[in-house]
Amino acid sequence: MLPIVSFVGKSKIGKTTLLVDIIARLKERGYRVAVVKHVEELELDREGKDSWRFAQAGADGVIVSGSGQVAAIQMTGSDLALGEVCRYICGDFDIILLVSCLQTLELA
């Protein structure tokens, strides 16, 4: 089973700084690391861009690829708990790191 480690705390207390250090150390040891962060408002693309227009047109999912990266946006109809979000991760990872503010925590 893929290990999942959760980091929870108030906003602006250093969660991201801590995770950046942990990610670097895990990568030095050869681990493939995925990070899931819950945000209040997800904005991967700006209004008017093609991927935004596809979603506005009703696409159930939009995948953007280029410059050595890929991002997938799948419409879910409601907010998912972090545990549910982890099921969406595809790829060959050794560990998943979750990061959330106290007010947004819901793991079930």
Side-chain angles (χ1 to χ4, degrees):
M1 176 170 209
L2 185 64
I4 300 173
V5 180
S6 183
F7 297 82
V8 181
K10 294 180 181 178
S11 184
K12 306 289 183 197
I13 64 165
K15 294 181 304 293
T16 298
T17 301
L18 174 64
L19 279 168
V20 166
D21 186 50
I22 290 171
I23 292 165
R25 291 170 187 258
L26 288 169
K27 294 301 295 176
E28 286 172 0
R29 290 166 177 79
Y31 289 97
R32 292 184 42 88
V33 180
V35 178
V36 175
K37 179 175 182 176
H38 183 271
V39 294
E40 289 299 316
E41 185 175 330
L42 178 63
E43 185 180 351
L44 292 179
D45 206 350
R46 302 219 182 266
E47 184 175 338
K49 293 291 189 177
D50 290 349
S51 57
W52 179 87
R53 293 177 63 202
F54 299 148
Q56 294 301 305
D60 295 303
V62 177
I63 297 174
V64 179
S65 177
S67 300
Q69 299 176 324
V70 64
I73 303 167
Q74 183 170 342
M75 308 318 166
T76 62
S78 65
D79 270 353
L80 300 178
L82 287 174
E84 294 173 303
V85 172
C86 288
R87 288 191 273 277
Y88 277 87
I89 292 180
C90 298
D92 184 24
F93 299 109
D94 298 311
I95 188 168
I96 298 174
L97 305 177
L98 302 178
V99 60
S100 179
C101 287
L102 287 173
Q103 61 269 27
T104 62
L105 180 65
E106 183 182 337
L107 293 177

